[in-house]
Amino acid sequence: MTKNKTLRNALESGKLFTAMAAHNPLAAKLAEEAGFGGIWGSGFELSASYAVPDANILSMGTHLEMMRAIASVVSIPLIADIDTGFGNAVNVHYVVPQYEAAGASAIVMEDKTFPKDTSLRTDGRQELVRTEEFQGKIAAACAARRDSDFVVVARVEALIAGLGQAEAIRRGLAYAEAGADAILIHSKQKTPDEILDFVTAWPAKVPLVLVPTAYPQLSEADIERLRKVGIVIYGNHAIRAAVGAMRKVFRQIRAEGGIRAVDPLLPSVKDIIELQGDASMRAVESNFLR
Ligand code: SPV
Ligand code: MG
C-alpha cells in the first residue's frame, strides 16, 4: 500500500491518526521508531532548526528539500506544512505537485496572508485572506494533485486571529465545500475549551485536525471521544526535546570541564551509526564492492 493510501484510509477509518513533528530525517526516523502514524513536516520546527522565526523567512525550496529528505528515510506518511502556499492560487497550483513528487502524502495550508506570522506567539500579526480567495487556493491544490489519495488539509486561523467561533465555522465549511479533505482548526488558548466548542459546533462530516500544543491537557483518548477528529498533530515536540537535551548536556560538559560523566548518559555512537542506515550500506558493499 502506498503512503498516500495509508493516510487516506486512516482518514476514512474514523480512527485517530497521530503525526509527530520532525525538522530533519533523523527526527523523522525516531518518530517512526516510537510508533507514530505519520510525520508532521513542521515549518515551525524547520525554521527553529535554522534559528530563524517561523514567518516565511525560509524559502519553499528549503522546506521542500527537507520534506524530500524526510520522506526518503521513513515508511510512514508525511504531512507537509506549506504555510500559506507560498503565494496565491497560481503558486499553490505549482507547489502541490512538487510536494507530491517529493514524497509527501498531504499538505496543510493555512488561510493567512503571505508572509505569515507564527500562530502561537503572543501578539503575532495574524491577518487572514478573504474566504473566496482561500477557497480558490484549496480548489487549486485539489486540482493540481496527481494522486487522488493525496490529502489536502485546509487550516482555519480564525480563532488564532481572534475572530470567534462563528467565523471559524463559516470558514471551515467554505473550505470543505471547496474540496478540502480535512479541516485543521488551530487555537492558542491555554485550555481546550475554545477547541471543544468548535468541535461540538462543527456540523459537517469532513474530519477535523487538532494541534494541541497550547492545550496539552487534551489526550488522544479525549480527542477520540469527540468522534470528529481524524488527525492529531504534535507540532513542535521534536525540536523542543532536542533543545532541552542539548542545552542540558552542553552545560554539564562546560560545568565539569569534560565529557566523562555525560558520556554514559548519551545514546552510544553505535546507536547513531545504526540510525544512519549503516546496515543497508553494508549490504550494498557486500553485493557490489568488487
Ligand atoms: C508548525 O508546526 O509549523 C505549525 C503548528 O504550523 S504551529 O506552530 O502551532 O502553528
Ligand atoms: Mg507551521
Side-chain angles (χ1 to χ4, degrees):
M1 187 159 35
T2 67
K3 293 181 196 176
N4 296 5
K5 192 83 190 152
T6 300
L7 183 61
R8 172 68 64 180
N9 286 353
L11 211 50
E12 287 171 359
S13 72
K15 292 209 192 92
L16 185 64
F17 184 84
T18 60
M20 172 52 76
H23 48 279
N24 64 24
L26 184 63
K29 274 186 106 165
L30 293 171
E32 180 172 24
E33 179 188 280
F36 289 96
I39 304 298
W40 167 236
S42 162
F44 179 92
E45 287 227 348
L46 189 65
S47 301
S49 75
Y50 275 77
V52 299
D54 175 29
N56 286 130
I57 288 168
L58 298 180
S59 71
M60 179 198 101
T62 304
H63 187 258
L64 180 65
E65 282 316 306
M66 187 55 77
M67 296 303 103
R68 201 188 308 280
I70 286 175
S72 71
V73 300
V74 291
S75 58
I76 54 178
L78 167 64
I79 302 171
D81 174 11
I82 66 165
D83 292 333
T84 66
F86 306 99
N88 65 16
V90 177
N91 299 83
V92 172
H93 197 269
Y94 171 77
V95 157
V96 164
Q98 307 287 323
Y99 276 82
E100 201 175 342
S105 297
I107 54 99
V108 172
M109 182 167 62
E110 64 202 54
D111 56 357
K112 292 213 292 257
T113 54
F114 178 93
K116 60 165 268 180
D117 199 354
T118 201
S119 300
L120 297 181
R121 184 183 183 282
T122 323
D123 302 330
R125 172 183 42 76
Q126 308 298 340
E127 294 158 4
L128 272 49
V129 296
R130 287 175 298 109
T131 303
E132 299 70 32
E133 180 182 345
F134 198 68
Q135 281 184 305
K137 290 174 78 168
I138 290 296
C142 295
R145 66 183 155 197
R146 307 268 151 87
D147 178 1
S148 57
D149 286 325
F150 186 86
V151 170
V152 172
V153 181
R155 167 166 161 178
V156 175
E157 291 280 288
L159 299 178
I160 294 286
L163 300 178
Q165 291 288 349
E167 180 65 6
I169 294 279
R170 194 186 67 73
R171 281 182 176 260
L173 288 173
Y175 305 159
E177 191 193 306
D181 298 302
I183 301 295
L184 189 157
I185 179 69
H186 207 10
S187 166
K188 60 181 172 200
Q189 298 300 313
K190 299 269 188 291
T191 69
D193 301 356
E194 182 177 62
I195 279 295
L196 294 177
D197 285 351
F198 181 96
V199 175
T200 305
W202 180 243
K205 285 253 177 306
V206 176
L208 298 173
V209 179
L210 300 186
V211 186
T213 310
Y215 47 95
Q217 313 86 312
L218 203 69
S219 69
E220 288 173 17
D222 297 332
I223 295 172
E224 269 164 352
R225 273 192 292 276
L226 300 172
R227 305 184 73 84
K228 294 184 186 176
V229 180
I231 304 175
V232 60
I233 290 174
Y234 297 115
N236 52 31
H237 301 80
I239 198 80
R240 286 164 66 196
V243 167
M246 282 192 270
R247 199 172 254 157
K248 187 161 174 261
V249 168
F250 295 173
R251 281 181 182 162
Q252 187 173 346
I253 295 170
R254 286 303 345 114
E256 294 171 358
I259 56 175
R260 184 176 177 163
V262 114
D263 189 74
L265 307 175
L266 295 175
S268 66
V269 175
K270 180 169 173 285
D271 188 1
I272 306 302
I273 287 175
E274 279 167 18
L275 285 166
Q276 286 174 315
D278 186 69
S280 61
M281 178 187 150
R282 298 302 149 200
V284 172
E285 256 184 12
S286 68
N287 281 331
F288 302 115
L289 273 191
R290 299 185 187 155

